[in-house]
Amino acid sequence: MVAGDLRALFSSNDRTVAAAEAFTNRQLQWEAATAALGEHLRHTAAPAFDVEDLEAPRTNVLVFHGVGGIGKTTLSRKLEAALTGAEHRPTQWGQPAWPGERIWPVRIDLARSAGTDFEQIVLTIRLALAELGRPLPAFDIALRRYWEHNHPGEPLEEYLRRGGLSRFGRAGQQQMQSALSDVAQALLLPGTVGSAIGQVTGALVGALRERRQTVHALAGCTRLADLLEAEPDLDALSYYPHLLAWELAQLPPDKAVTPVILLDTFEDTGDRTHRDLERLIQRVVWLMPNAFFVITGRSRLQWGDEALQGQLDFTGPAAWPGLVAHDIPAARTTSPTGSRRQVLIGDFSPEDCDDYLAHRLSRDGQPLIGPRVREVITRRSHGLPLYLDLSVMRFLELRRSGHTPSPDDFDQDFPALIARTLSDLTPDERHVLRSVALLDAFDVALATRAAGMTHEALAARLAERPFVSEDPFSLWPFHLHGLIRSTIRTADDRTDDRWSPCDWAHAAQRALDALGEQWNTSPTRNRLLLIGCLRQGLRLARDHRLELGWLRDAAWSYVSDSIWEPLDPPAPHNAAAAGLETAADALVETLSALGRRQHEHRECTVDRLTTVVDTGLLPTDLREMALYYRAKAQRDLGRTDDSRRGMQLVADGGGRLAPAARRGLAHL
């Protein structure tokens, strides 16, 4: 039972309610994993494969990344279970295409809450292989030397017990001791010396350097002597997995295994400035080319980027051809093609959301959450599993208080989503994130200007986050995940650096100014840019009660082409029934009426524009725009006198539409 199920179990006294783990689909991710693993098995089985080749490109890693709460940890657990045995594989997942291969899954949680350090990572991999039932002497001797040097007087068994690794610690220790004794015996050392690791390694290094026949079994590991002579510190420990990979390559065919090492919550290895733990882990991946690594985390793995040279040991497309960022990203829910090994985990489909909610809580085999409530939760979730889980907890909370949950109870956002989203962002990145939450779409320059920053690095880094989707063919390529954007803008933010209403107002003004700057400085001022700026600018001005500014000229440009694309921005979240209250409200209604007049009866156009004119909110030039087009609609309705009065007012005003109004009068 997962943690979420335990929370559900202890949230109610009603023992008839069953809280079950609801794992939904992810079949495409399973297909991506099996395809990549199958390719890895074919690669390692090829005659040209050499486990000691330290220069060949590495294709032994697959990355699943996505926003917090998208289901990465659940996927990692399911992959581990499915690779352990067919009986644990979800029914919708197909049979993998590697019959007869021994797959050895090892899952390691890198979350800060798990307290996993690099020593535990190396020990977990080694001890998971203890079930092979045989020593791995080259690695075991090096590890024993490291342990006694860095943990004097601390038995390894006690450390394993404290670290939660005691379930296979005894077998691993026995194998390490056996390896030490066997080497001591081969070197003809006294039996009492068998436990003195320093003497054993010293004698072994000498024997390897002299190429003695007594250590022929280890002589094939060309780098063993150098590793045993190196200072046994943490840096040296990160190179010992090379010995483990060599040992695995020496296993007879009937004992051969392929470790599949699943590293979950990779974002907790550190930020992008301090990569110390990431550097150590990358060495493990590089030095174990016969193992397959499945990494799950919030961000794309950057190892294929040339810019990281010097921060990590192995970087660039030549080293990691499958991890290179592509200009045109794959769709959120598709498996990788060709050599791509970075998979963005997509949101649940509406059908998957409903299936999750229907199976998460049940009574007598029937869904506890009714279909109408499930429909509202599904619509609000934007497919994010974390939102579904939070909604389940709210459903139980409402029942516990004696209230029968209804659809209206779930038409809300959860502040917890903000904390999860912001948890691994720097304060400056949080500032940029909140700023772009005001925009429907953005590019790096627009995000930088809207945030009031003087350099683009922060916006560029934010654009790489998994909660930012990219459409390279759009006017502005980036947009936030719908639920995260909605939550940041509307939920009760309890974070320490939360924005005040004044902060939001200033950010809205910066965003509006940034859009106006893009429009005014464009060398072409094409129609596509005009419509994009108007749609975003009108919404910002309306929702935040801002002055019109550049929107006045943009509105005239929109009208001058007589094309009439729809401009209606989405209704505000807290839309009131008070009607038109600001000039921005009036301009939105004016341009909306003009854009819709080819699809509505002219009487509707007249009524809408009359409402605008009567408010007196628009400046003179824009009021004349409403008067003129109302007069045109009145003429179409045969209301000649009303049309003539309107045209005369516009003609007398001497504004931009005065010539057109005089022609209208002549026509009338």
Side-chain angles (χ1 to χ4, degrees), residues 141-142 144-146 148-149 179-208 212 215 228-229 232:
I141 290 172
R144 181 70 177 268
R145 176 171 177 261
Y146 167 86
E148 294 200 1
H149 182 272
L180 191 65
S181 300
D182 291 346
V183 171
Q185 184 176 356
L187 294 172
L188 303 179
L189 297 175
T192 56
V193 178
S195 60
I197 187 64
Q199 297 183 46
V200 173
T201 54
L204 177 57
V205 169
L208 290 170
R212 295 183 202 167
V215 292
L228 292 177
E229 285 182 323

Side-chain angles (χ1 to χ4, degrees), residues 108 273 418 628 666:
I108 302 174
T273 303
I418 299 179
Y628 174 76

Side-chain angles (χ1 to χ4, degrees), residues 49-54 58 242 245-246 249-250 287-290:
F49 176 75
D50 181 6
V51 75
E52 290 192 288
D53 185 350
L54 301 181
R58 293 302 193 253
H242 169 74
W246 182 85
Q250 311 312 306
L287 296 173
M288 296 187 70
N290 50 351

